Amino acid sequence: MADDDTSGSSPKVTSPAANGLVYMTLICFLAVGLLAGWRSHRNTGLFLKALKSQSMWALSLNFLAVNIGSGIFFTLPEVGTIAGVTGVFAYAFACGAPLFIFAVVGPAFRKRNSSQWSMTNFVMERFGRPLHILYGIASTLFVGLYLVSELTTIYSVFELLTPLHPLAPMIVICVVTTVYTAFGGVFASLVTDAIQCVLILILVVIAAIVVGISVRPTKADIERAGLLKPTKMGGELFVILPLAIAFSNMYHQGFWQRTFASRSDRDLYWATFIGFWLVFIVTALIGMAGPLAAWAGTWTPDSDIPGSSAFFTIIASLPGWVSGLTLVLTTSLSCCAIDTCQTAMFASLYDLVEQKVSVWTVRATVVILNVPVIILAMRAPDILQVYLLADLLACATILPVLSGLFRRFDFIHWIDAFVGCFGGIIAVGVFGQVYLGNRHDGWRLLLLYGGLYVNDERVLGAFCFAPLGSVVFMLCFAVLRMGVTSLLGLRQFHYAGPELSSEMRTVASTLPGDNTDNKHKKRELHAL
């Protein structure tokens, strides 16, 4: 099935074998997706929302699906080659721990969001159209970046493992996931993700056993590499990565869709707990490929092979059939990630147009947006850099939006939240200028030049000051606005809640518009 040459790159899976493995896997997933979609394609509730449709176990598998993609073959081992075992466990913890936020925020979200569907819908209800547009565009951009990184990974894996041109399987994977998500909606994505994750868990266990049996570095090799020792970088990653991933998850509609798909709050609590351990175990096992490659000598710091390819240097030392298994695993992971991103992008766009456009028009838009995503992916950007830019933007902007979930912040107006979002971005630039000592390098920190692995604390500071700055700017502007409002003798803004606000707007709409008193009452009711 594979060539015997392992001196250079991974064993190449022959073209017929690669085509057979990939396309048979995709046909199976297409069949499962269409069968699941048969139940939901005529049920608008299941198609668009799938509210309260998932049990604890199905939801835990879905939380695994939304957390992983084939990019973990590159990013996790790379962390291991730089920050050692500490870095691997920091990354694995950071991938799973944010799930607990949804166990806390999810029930609060359900109470305050009358539609119980998506974050964009809630932002519209709580803050109004301006912030709704900002959040909707940001969510769509985020999912687009995730799609770019996922397709970049697919392109790289197919180049490494097969003689096929990667563009064809990339397009076919996108087409397959588009077909069954367009037919079955969110429910089809949830069902296929659960089944795909069962297959992924089986394949990861098989791969771990094979690696454990075949790759046995000596104690001297392990000590010489030095990756077992705790590192400063590893410690910093325990702060940077949980912040980065937790805040960026808030912009990913896939997480909110799964949160609302839980049958009850109890199912959600247990699903996040089980999902955390599934995510932690899978990511830790794959991440350990980095240190293991260094210990076994298949990768060395002074070689021309980048640390992101450490996983594939191990695959090169194993029997050829393991390359085939990796190909199936990559296809499964990619389908999980891509169908989740497609349904998340659909939800963001559908809410952005306030659900006033045909579902199929939005679906067509998602299909069209896949084209520039594929083109960008072929340019092979740095996968980790793409994730980091998205994560820093999330850290700088999400807390003002989340403030709307809690009653103690009902005094926050949309303008306060808007200023807070931009304040988080400004805080990063100001910190960079002060820390690095010059304006040019300081504001370039917003683009994270130099990546994650630098020898100083600039990245740590950026990810800490971004959320802190957003909250400080939001609260300071809120105090200023309330002070001006008091001086002018106007009524202070206070969010009345979704039910009461809706009621008041209905009353306002029934008041005649000619009378000056009624106009004043209308303004008061809409402000409430």
Side-chain angles (χ1 to χ4, degrees):
M1 188 174 92
D3 302 331
D4 294 330
D5 178 24
T6 61
S7 58
S9 58
S10 304
K12 293 276 188 177
V13 181
T14 60
S15 293
N19 283 321
L21 288 170
V22 171
Y23 295 122
M24 282 303 297
T25 303
L26 290 174
I27 288 170
C28 291
F29 291 157
L30 178 62
V32 171
L34 293 176
L35 283 173
W38 189 257
R39 177 183 168 188
S40 60
H41 80 288
R42 292 183 180 177
N43 184 324
T44 306
L46 283 177
F47 184 92
L48 294 176
K49 309 174 186 179
L51 298 180
K52 299 184 177 180
S53 64
Q54 301 297 302
S55 66
M56 170 183 70
W57 289 104
L59 195 61
S60 61
L61 289 170
N62 267 277
F63 276 132
L64 171 63
V66 76
N67 263 289
I68 58 176
S70 54
I72 60 178
F73 289 135
F74 292 91
T75 56
L76 283 160
E78 182 181 22
V79 170
T81 60
I82 296 171
V85 175
T86 309
V88 170
F89 281 98
Y91 208 144
F93 173 80
C95 287
L99 290 178
F100 294 120
I101 297 176
F102 291 93
V104 176
V105 175
F109 199 143
R110 276 177 163 165
K111 290 176 184 176
R112 303 221 79 186
N113 182 7
S114 58
S115 298
Q116 295 189 0
W117 178 16
S118 67
M119 189 67 169
T120 45
N121 188 269
F122 171 76
V123 171
M124 177 64 185
E125 193 171 73
R126 170 62 178 85
F127 292 109
R129 187 64 171 157
L131 206 63
H132 174 247
I133 293 173
L134 179 65
Y135 182 86
I137 293 173
S139 296
T140 305
L141 179 63
F142 266 71
V143 175
L145 289 173
Y146 290 138
L147 269 175
V148 169
S149 63
E150 187 60 34
L151 291 174
T152 299
T153 304
I154 298 171
Y155 196 92
S156 300
V157 171
F158 274 89
E159 273 193 327
L160 286 168
L161 297 182
T162 76
L164 301 175
H165 192 286
L167 182 60
M170 256 175 62
I171 293 174
V172 173
I173 290 173
C174 287
V175 169
V176 167
T177 54
T178 300
V179 168
Y180 69 70
T181 54
F183 181 68
V186 174
F187 184 76
S189 174
L190 294 173
V191 173
T192 52
D193 280 0
I195 293 172
Q196 286 160 357
C197 279
V198 171
L199 176 61
I200 287 167
L201 289 172
I202 293 171
L203 294 177
V204 167
V205 169
I206 293 172
I209 292 171
V210 172
V211 171
I213 293 172
S214 305
V215 182
R216 295 185 177 182
T218 64
K219 186 177 179 180
D221 292 331
I222 294 174
E223 290 177 352
R224 183 173 60 252
L227 295 175
L228 276 178
K229 299 174 183 177
T231 60
K232 178 187 173 184
M233 172 62 70
E236 289 181 356
L237 291 180
F238 267 107
V239 178
I240 296 171
L241 292 177
L243 283 173
I245 295 174
F247 288 135
S248 64
N249 286 354
M250 301 291 114
Y251 275 105
H252 197 318
Q253 291 291 349
F255 285 93
W256 294 114
Q257 288 168 342
R258 280 145 185 79
T259 299
F260 295 138
S262 61
R263 289 178 179 170
S264 66
D265 289 345
R266 182 178 178 277
D267 283 315
L268 179 60
Y269 298 147
W270 279 106
T272 53
F273 178 76
I274 297 168
F276 165 78
W277 285 108
L278 290 176
V279 172
F280 183 84
I281 291 168
V282 169
T283 52
L285 284 174
I286 292 175
M288 283 302 296
L292 189 60
W295 297 337
T298 61
W299 174 88
T300 57
D302 55 355
S303 69
D304 295 331
I305 302 172
S308 57
S309 298
F311 174 86
F312 296 96
T313 65
I314 292 181
I315 298 299
S317 67
L318 299 176
W321 63 267
V322 179
S323 293
L325 183 147
T326 304
L327 206 56
V328 175
L329 183 56
T330 301
T331 305
S332 303
L333 286 165
S334 297
C335 284
C336 277
I338 292 171
D339 71 16
T340 299
C341 286
Q342 287 173 337
T343 54
M345 186 178 287
F346 168 82
S348 297
L349 291 173
Y350 195 49
D351 271 348
L352 189 59
V353 296
E354 298 185 78
Q355 305 169 28
K356 293 178 180 177
V357 176
S358 162
V359 168
W360 288 104
T361 302
V362 180
R363 278 291 180 202
T365 304
V366 172
V367 172
I368 293 169
L369 288 175
N370 279 330
V371 176
V373 165
I374 291 173
I375 293 171
L376 285 173
M378 291 176 64
R379 296 177 181 272
D382 185 327
I383 299 166
L384 187 58
Q385 188 75 8
V386 172
Y387 280 130
L388 283 173
L389 288 174
D391 293 345
L392 184 59
L393 179 62
C395 282
T397 58
I398 194 60
L399 285 185
V401 177
L402 291 181
S403 69
L405 291 171
F406 304 98
R407 293 193 182 279
R408 68 181 60 186
F409 292 106
D410 279 349
F411 67 91
I412 295 294
H413 191 271
W414 74 264
I415 296 178
D416 308 330
F418 198 83
V419 169
C421 290
F422 284 98
I425 296 171
I426 293 170
V428 175
V430 172
F431 161 76
Q433 185 171 340
V434 172
Y435 183 79
L436 296 174
N438 67 86
R439 184 183 304 169
H440 181 261
D441 290 338
W443 287 89
R444 275 164 60 98
L445 186 58
L446 286 166
L447 299 176
L448 291 174
Y449 276 100
L452 178 63
Y453 310 114
V454 291
N455 295 323
D456 54 28
E457 284 74 37
R458 70 181 72 179
V459 177
L460 177 64
F463 276 97
C464 290
F465 273 89
L468 180 62
S470 67
V471 173
V472 170
F473 270 81
M474 179 186 72
L475 293 177
C476 288
F477 191 84
V479 170
L480 177 63
R481 176 187 55 79
M482 289 189 292
V484 172
T485 303
S486 296
L487 286 174
L488 295 176
L490 301 175
R491 184 188 294 272
Q492 295 288 358
F493 171 82
H494 190 273
Y495 180 61
E499 295 82 9
L500 192 54
S501 293
S502 176
E503 213 174 281
M504 288 178 171
R505 289 186 184 104
T506 303
V507 172
S509 66
T510 62
L511 290 172
D514 329 348
N515 189 292
T516 306
D517 291 337
N518 282 346
K519 285 181 181 178
H520 181 66
K521 287 177 183 176
K522 276 188 175 187
R523 281 195 296 269
E524 288 186 349
L525 287 169
H526 279 296
L528 288 171

